[in-house]
Amino acid sequence: MTDLLYSEEEEALRAAVRDLLSDHCDAPGVIARTESGTPHDLAAWKALADGMGLAGLLVPEDRGGQGATHREAAVVLEELGRAVAPVPYLTSAVVATEALLACDAEGGLLAELASGRRIGALAVALNVAPGGAYKVVRHEDGALHGELTAVADAAVADVLLVPADGGGLYAVDADAVTVTPQASLDLTRPVATVTLDGAPGRLLGDAEPAVRRALRAGAGLLASEQLGLAEWTLTETVRYLKERKQFNRPVGGFQALKHRLAQLWLEVVNLRAAARNVADALSTGEDVDVAVAVAQAYAAPVAVHAAEEALQLHAGIGMTWEHPVHLYLKRAKADSIAYGTAGAHREALAETIALPAP
């Protein structure tokens, strides 16, 4: 029987990541970054990737990584979600890295991503579900031409992994393309349009299996980010309601609010089970498609509900720009369509287990 509880090593990893993020990604600092036009915290990324070696968790040791599993990466993402940290961990250390792992011939670039020396981004729209159709560019005379939209964290990527019409996946240096920011609801994970006008690309391997593997891992581990986000919003809401007084008694003492918080707590506990299950499935390779679909069908509504409750139950202060709850609500809403909507995953689950959808 699989043990989904956190190991001592995973709890130690959590403590170390939380300490680092408390130094780098405090709420006022993250809000200030979103106003600056350069939201990514590259100092925090360097500390995570270079200082702690976390960018290479999914990469085998003989290929330049740490040789850990998706369970450890999931713990990191829980803490990144808890801090709404503006770092390209999910996009580079998970999605781009998984795409490269599917291309066995590529070694040097994978090691660079694992060390954090370079940041990678898969040039597929953030809303594409595992197994879904994605846009490709034209490959002609050794050069790539076309435009790809809604590419997450493209603004800080050093290398883009670009699928082309011939079925290949190409590595393209970021300085060979034009990256134009798009309006993004989630200010801590901005998306951009990538324009290729005769950009040279290095063939890595077949795009279809690489993209499918990358998006599957991205969707699965996104649930851990959503878990961290939901846990933070629930914890902060409970803390606030214990302190906030009305009619000379703590607001949290009112039974109607107790019931809402109890319901939310149950949802978050169930989300933890789903997130842990999919992280374990990805690490063992067993029943991955079912685990991913179940986790994402459940995670998005819970994370959004937790953030909405936090915003409402914080009352007037929750509506201010200075309070960080809006960052969590925007991340939760953006995550709810990232790597496929909950509805898309329910449909995928129905097909996987041969259960016709209504």
Side-chain angles (χ1 to χ4, degrees):
M1 183 176 175
T2 300
D3 183 3
L4 298 183
L5 297 176
Y6 299 100
S7 66
E8 288 184 15
E9 292 79 7
E10 288 166 349
E11 291 292 5
L13 174 61
R14 177 194 308 286
V17 174
R18 188 174 296 187
D19 283 348
L20 186 151
L21 293 176
S22 67
D23 292 336
H24 283 276
C25 294
D26 61 305
V30 174
I31 292 171
R33 285 191 171 279
T34 65
E35 297 171 325
S36 70
T38 53
H40 292 94
D41 190 339
L42 294 182
W45 169 252
K46 182 174 174 60
L48 287 164
D50 189 22
M52 296 182 68
L54 300 182
L57 285 181
L58 300 181
V59 180
E61 291 185 60
D62 60 359
R63 301 182 74 178
Q66 303 299 320
T69 72
H70 296 80
R71 289 176 60 123
E72 287 79 18
V75 170
V76 175
L77 279 162
E78 283 181 37
E79 293 306 311
L80 295 177
R82 181 184 289 273
V84 282
V87 295
Y89 190 87
L90 182 66
T91 47
S92 182
V94 175
V95 175
T97 295
E98 287 276 359
L100 288 176
L101 285 169
C103 304
D104 290 331
E106 180 58 36
L109 180 55
L110 186 62
E112 288 181 327
L113 260 60
S115 68
R117 291 195 302 273
R118 300 184 85 187
I119 296 171
L122 180 66
V124 171
L126 183 60
N127 66 305
V128 176
Y134 53 88
K135 191 175 178 182
V136 298
V137 298
R138 190 174 84 258
H139 182 249
E140 189 177 299
D141 299 328
L144 300 168
H145 306 262
E147 184 177 275
L148 302 166
T149 57
V151 179
D153 292 335
V156 288
D158 300 301
V159 60
L160 294 154
L161 310 182
V162 181
D165 56 4
L169 185 68
Y170 293 84
V172 179
D173 289 336
D175 56 12
V177 305
T178 303
V179 177
T180 309
Q182 292 178 251
S184 177
L185 175 64
D186 181 4
L187 303 174
T188 59
R189 182 177 285 144
V191 295
T193 297
V194 176
T195 305
L196 301 95
D197 186 11
R202 190 169 79 260
L203 181 63
L204 300 171
D206 292 335
E208 200 276 329
V211 171
R212 187 175 66 248
R213 173 174 172 171
L215 296 184
R216 190 173 69 169
L221 292 185
L222 178 66
S224 291
E225 176 183 294
Q226 291 163 308
L227 170 60
L229 185 157
E231 285 188 322
W232 184 92
T233 52
L234 175 59
T235 301
E236 281 300 301
T237 304
V238 170
R239 184 188 63 77
Y240 177 75
L241 293 182
K242 285 180 178 179
E243 296 174 355
R244 176 87 167 95
K245 290 189 176 180
Q246 222 171 39
F247 308 115
N248 207 31
R249 61 180 286 192
V251 175
F254 293 105
Q255 192 173 40
L257 298 191
K258 286 182 179 180
H259 286 177
R260 286 169 67 171
L261 293 170
Q263 174 62 36
L264 190 56
W265 181 82
L266 286 172
E267 292 178 14
V268 172
V269 168
N270 288 334
L271 171 53
R272 183 184 298 119
R276 291 298 291 166
N277 180 59
V278 70
D280 187 75
L282 284 164
S283 66
T284 61
E286 296 179 10
D287 296 324
V288 178
D289 290 335
V290 171
V292 170
V294 168
Q296 273 309 313
Y298 190 76
V302 172
V304 172
H305 182 214
E308 287 176 342
E309 288 285 74
L311 181 71
Q312 190 174 76
L313 295 177
H314 273 83
I317 192 174
M319 298 297 293
T320 64
W321 182 262
E322 290 74 22
H323 195 282
V325 71
H326 67 92
L327 295 177
Y328 289 83
L329 180 56
K330 291 167 184 172
R331 171 68 71 90
K333 291 293 282 186
D335 281 357
S336 71
I337 60 170
Y339 307 117
T341 62
H345 286 284
R346 280 192 290 270
E347 290 180 10
L349 179 62
E351 291 179 13
T352 302
I353 62 176
L355 178 69

